[in-house]
Amino acid sequence: MAQNTPAVPAPPKRRLSWNDPFTRGIIYQVLILGVLGFCVWYLVSNTLHNLAVRNISTGFDFLDREAGFAIGESALAYTPSDTYGRAILVGLVNTLKVAVIGIIAATVFGTLLGIARLSKNWLVSRLAGLYVEVMRNVPLLLQLFFWYALITETLPGPRQALNPISGVFLSNRGLKLPTLQGDGMDWIFMGLGLAVVLWVLMAHWARRRLENTGRPFPTLRFGILLLVVLPVLALLLSPEPLALDMPRLQGFNFVGGATLSPEFAALLAGLVTYTSAFVAEVVRSGIQAVGKGQWEAAQALGLSRGRMMRLVVLPQALRVIVPPMTSQYLNLTKNSSLAVAIGYPDIVSVVNTTLNQTGQAIEGILIIMAAYLTVSLSISVFMNWYNNRIALVER
């Protein structure tokens, strides 16, 4: 005998009535969108009208014109005869350089500080806590001024430069270091790139092996070995030898070698010391979020405290650490815009010079906003991907 299936009730019909919450919600959303659209239209049309009245041209055609100003520090080849677009690119690369190095240094230093705050040694934990409290409560701009004055005012001039080791000079003009020159550097970079790729593949294979057999593989040791051996092997295979360019005093300054400018050093020191204090608190809270039973289980296995931290606690703490750490990386990147206060030619400084010469203020602000938005979203996308990768998967 066939069973009678209950009839599914039809959904209630919507009536255009103010008493219907659904209809009322749609009307509110349409009104809000209309008000926002009107505000945007008014601001844009009013801006274009004012620019037209003052005979100020709009658009980004100025990027193809000759810049005509020098940039004191550049990771890319640049001369004053290059275009404004090239100058802005140089400023962006300078910003990315200090942001990448700062993120790496702040992560390492902040992690050590966070672990030190949990140390059983009373002096170590108190000193780490004092550092965190002081650095977090002193404005970053003030710290940048401090580091810049410390380098430019207290260090001697080039003729009396400090020479701790042969070929290294420290003065108020910055840090001079020997460099390697020649086509062999390209081979070294290729060797480094290959080593990184092999390390990633090896780590993936080691993780699969651990899941299948339970046997760990010393990925760190072999990875470091790859980073050392492959560049050296690439250098030996290079058809062009490398030459060592040593800095030397000529006139009132040094020539040759590589220069770490006072502006870059002060900006990097300020960003790292300031951000590492916040990173330390993130790491400390992440470690304390790991259950006490995990420590006891690792201790029962006979692991040393260092191996317990590296193999048991930190991998679990990452799930708590990564989300707030993303905010600290974003803050460091955006705080690098304070470089203009100490004369480091980041993108804000270069665009300011550009808009002062061309009068394209709106376009300049849009370029800065687009640059920081792109970099910030890139960091967020990468950190979200990594957070999803290490997140616990419910079965």
Side-chain angles (χ1 to χ4, degrees):
M1 176 181 283
Q3 297 180 352
N4 295 327
T5 58
V8 179
K13 295 183 179 180
R14 296 287 182 185
R15 294 185 302 171
L16 295 179
S17 173
W18 185 256
N19 295 325
D20 184 7
F22 179 80
T23 304
R24 193 164 57 245
I26 292 295
I27 294 175
Y28 281 143
Q29 293 179 53
V30 171
L31 290 176
I32 292 174
L33 288 177
V35 171
L36 289 177
F38 174 78
C39 291
V40 171
W41 170 82
Y42 176 77
L43 292 174
V44 171
S45 61
N46 187 57
T47 301
L48 294 177
H49 173 72
N50 290 333
L51 291 175
V53 169
R54 291 163 177 79
N55 292 324
I56 299 177
S57 61
T58 58
F60 295 90
D61 296 338
F62 69 96
L63 295 176
D64 296 327
R65 301 205 301 262
E66 180 180 329
F69 62 90
I71 298 178
E73 185 172 350
S74 172
L76 302 176
Y78 173 81
T79 61
S81 60
D82 288 330
T83 62
Y84 285 113
R86 179 74 175 183
I88 293 173
L89 177 62
V90 168
L92 177 60
V93 172
N94 286 344
T95 297
L96 293 176
K97 180 175 69 172
V98 72
V100 171
I101 299 176
I103 286 174
I104 296 173
T107 301
V108 175
F109 189 37
T111 301
L112 295 177
L113 279 173
I115 296 174
R117 289 211 65 185
L118 300 174
S119 174
K120 294 183 178 180
N121 187 301
W122 183 89
L123 181 61
V124 172
S125 63
R126 292 303 183 274
L127 287 177
L130 177 64
Y131 174 90
V132 169
E133 293 302 325
V134 171
M135 291 301 171
R136 289 175 63 188
N137 292 285
V138 176
L140 176 57
L141 185 59
L142 186 60
Q143 294 189 38
L144 294 181
F145 287 146
F146 167 78
W147 286 108
Y148 187 68
L150 183 67
I151 295 173
T152 58
E153 299 296 334
T154 62
L155 291 179
R159 291 184 178 275
Q160 295 80 31
L162 303 178
N163 185 211
I165 58 176
S166 178
V168 177
F169 298 94
L170 184 62
S171 68
N172 56 11
R173 302 289 181 88
L175 178 64
K176 296 293 295 187
L177 300 169
T179 57
L180 296 174
Q181 292 184 343
D183 295 336
M185 289 298 298
D186 297 334
W187 287 73
I188 292 178
F189 288 134
M190 286 192 297
L192 283 174
L194 180 60
V196 171
V197 172
L198 292 178
W199 192 348
V200 171
L201 295 176
M202 180 177 60
H204 181 72
W205 170 81
R207 190 181 302 108
R208 289 291 184 87
R209 180 192 182 193
L210 181 63
E211 294 174 354
N212 295 331
T213 65
R215 292 184 298 169
F217 184 80
T219 307
L220 181 62
R221 298 176 185 176
F222 279 91
I224 296 175
L225 185 63
L226 286 174
L227 290 177
V228 174
V229 172
L230 288 184
V232 173
L233 182 61
L235 178 61
L236 295 177
L237 296 176
S238 172
E240 296 291 336
L242 286 178
L244 185 63
D245 185 18
M246 300 289 291
R248 59 193 182 278
L249 185 64
Q250 182 175 320
F252 296 100
N253 203 354
F254 290 97
V255 295
T259 303
L260 184 64
S261 69
E263 294 79 13
F264 178 79
L267 178 62
L268 184 63
L271 290 174
V272 170
T273 54
Y274 181 76
T275 308
S276 61
F278 293 90
V279 171
E281 288 297 276
V282 172
V283 173
R284 180 184 63 83
S285 62
I287 293 175
Q288 290 181 327
V290 178
K292 187 178 179 181
Q294 298 295 320
W295 290 90
E296 295 173 347
Q299 190 174 8
L301 293 175
L303 297 178
S304 64
R305 187 170 178 83
R307 291 177 66 85
M308 282 192 291
M309 182 68 70
R310 182 169 60 89
L311 300 176
V312 178
V313 177
L314 281 180
Q316 299 182 68
L318 279 177
R319 300 183 180 97
V320 180
I321 291 173
V322 170
M325 192 74 82
T326 304
S327 299
Q328 300 307 321
Y329 292 165
L330 295 176
N331 289 337
L332 187 147
T333 303
K334 291 181 286 189
N335 286 337
S336 65
S337 60
L338 294 174
V340 67
I342 57 174
Y344 179 72
D346 71 328
I347 186 171
V348 175
S349 176
V350 173
V351 171
N352 281 340
T353 304
T354 299
L355 63 88
N356 284 334
Q357 291 186 356
T358 61
Q360 310 291 139
I362 296 178
E363 291 82 356
I365 298 300
L366 289 177
I367 290 173
I368 295 176
M369 292 172 60
Y372 279 105
L373 180 63
T374 302
V375 174
S376 298
L377 289 179
S378 300
I379 294 174
S380 298
V381 168
F382 173 78
M383 294 301 291
N384 288 334
W385 168 83
Y386 183 69
N387 186 42
N388 293 331
R389 182 177 177 84
I390 64 175
L392 289 174
V393 179
E394 296 183 1
R395 299 182 182 276

